[in-house]
Amino acid sequence: MWGIVPAAGRGSRIQPLAFSKELLPVGSRGEDGTDRPCAVSEYLLERLILGGADKICFVISPGKSDILEYFGDHYGSAQLAYVVQPEPAGLCDAVFRAGTVVGRDEDVVVGLPDTVWFPKAALQALPDADLSFLLFPVEHPEFFDAVMLDGDEVTEIQVKQPDAGSKWIWGAFRMSARGFRQLQALWRERDRRDEYFGTLVNAYLAAGGRGTGVKAGESYVDVGTIDGYRTAMALLAGSGTGNGRSRLRSGGSPETARAPAITNDGAVA
């Protein structure tokens, strides 16, 4: 199974940086008995591998060669590939550019590289279906892609809707080989106008497609803002003692719990 990492965004919310935002040091990890800084995107790669990905495709912009230099050809047990998105044209464009390396019979799982979430192995809860979403509870769903459900069936994605009808947002999603090709074909039929994945999913559902939502997520933080960065550091510190997952759920730090979170559309970050 392929993991897809859309990493072509400009990182404007957390600039100035001298490197790609996906390499922002967040926390640390042990290596050969010593701690070293951990790039934020490493948390996603770890989770994709735990979710079953054995190959991972980074979708990067032409100016993000530092990501290739940092990760090289593999991460852990997964082989890495890189596809170029000439300009940040939205999450749909990024995800479907990975179709140049994804085989016609291969499933995919997609996550956002500037997020940190728990549990680590939550992707394992997603079924082998054409389209399924890993859902997380947040305090301010109006800043994210809120997922409306009937049981576990997705009925609508509310993209940054002020009066969002659900506190559950998607943090990652999985597509079967058939689901990936169906959604890619629909996106092309719609003249590639869908920037947000949520609007494409709504059209897919209206055309008879089905999506499943799985409420297996506990904590979700967007690290693309200063507040989110601080929250992620606190969350990772707390997770080491078993407290981080229940203590932080909204995308804001303990001191700034009412600070606006940013949408998880992956388009311009």
Side-chain angles (χ1 to χ4, degrees):
M1 180 164 64
W2 277 93
I4 299 176
V5 181
R10 292 185 292 268
S12 58
R13 292 178 291 149
I14 200 166
Q15 290 295 346
L17 294 174
F19 47 83
S20 297
K21 60 162 183 167
E22 293 80 11
L23 301 183
L24 182 70
V26 179
S28 62
R29 67 170 68 246
E31 187 175 273
D32 298 326
T34 61
D35 284 343
R36 67 167 180 82
C38 183
V40 63
S41 53
E42 292 187 60
Y43 294 101
L44 174 61
L45 267 61
E46 176 186 41
R47 285 148 175 76
L48 292 176
I49 293 170
L50 288 172
D54 57 353
K55 294 164 287 188
I56 295 174
C57 176
F58 272 95
V59 182
I60 61 175
S61 66
K64 289 194 170 184
S65 61
D66 56 348
I67 294 177
L68 189 155
E69 293 168 1
Y70 184 86
F71 285 107
D73 69 339
H74 74 281
Y75 185 84
S77 61
Q79 297 298 306
L80 304 184
Y82 300 85
V83 172
V84 174
Q85 185 182 29
E87 56 186 37
L91 182 57
C92 291
D93 183 83
V95 168
F96 296 129
R97 281 184 184 273
T100 59
V101 297
V102 174
R104 294 198 62 85
D105 298 322
E106 295 180 298
D107 293 358
V108 302
V109 60
V110 181
L112 304 178
D114 52 358
T115 62
V116 177
W117 44 265
F118 288 94
K120 292 181 182 179
L123 284 169
Q124 294 177 9
L126 295 184
D128 182 12
D130 285 342
L131 176 64
S132 58
F133 292 92
L134 176 59
L135 306 183
F136 295 83
V138 297
E139 293 178 4
H140 297 284
E142 66 272 17
F143 296 111
F144 293 88
D145 287 2
V147 181
M148 300 295 294
L149 297 172
D150 181 4
D152 63 356
E153 185 171 344
V154 177
T155 59
E156 181 188 4
I157 306 292
Q158 297 180 338
V159 179
K160 294 189 292 183
Q161 189 165 308
D163 56 344
S166 170
K167 71 174 183 178
W168 293 90
I169 64 151
W170 69 259
F173 55 93
R174 177 176 174 174
M175 293 177 282
S176 69
R178 183 178 72 168
F180 180 79
R181 299 302 172 185
Q182 286 178 339
L183 282 154
Q184 183 182 44
L186 179 60
W187 177 65
R188 289 171 174 166
E189 289 171 9
R190 289 165 59 83
D191 297 324
R192 306 175 187 241
R193 67 176 181 269
D194 294 289
E195 180 178 351
Y196 303 109
F197 194 70
T199 62
L200 178 63
V201 170
N202 289 336
Y204 175 73
L205 298 176
R210 300 188 58 160
T212 300
V214 179
K215 297 178 179 179
E218 297 177 2
S219 302
Y220 184 89
V221 180
D222 179 347
V223 188
T225 66
I226 293 298
D227 284 337
Y229 176 79
R230 293 169 178 161
T231 302
M233 296 294 285
L235 176 63
L236 291 166
S239 68
T241 61
N243 297 324
R245 287 185 255 179
S246 61
R247 186 159 48 86
L248 296 171
R249 307 179 94 179
S250 66
S253 67
E255 299 79 13
T256 59
R258 296 185 180 276
I262 306 298
T263 182
N264 61 340
D265 55 62
V268 180

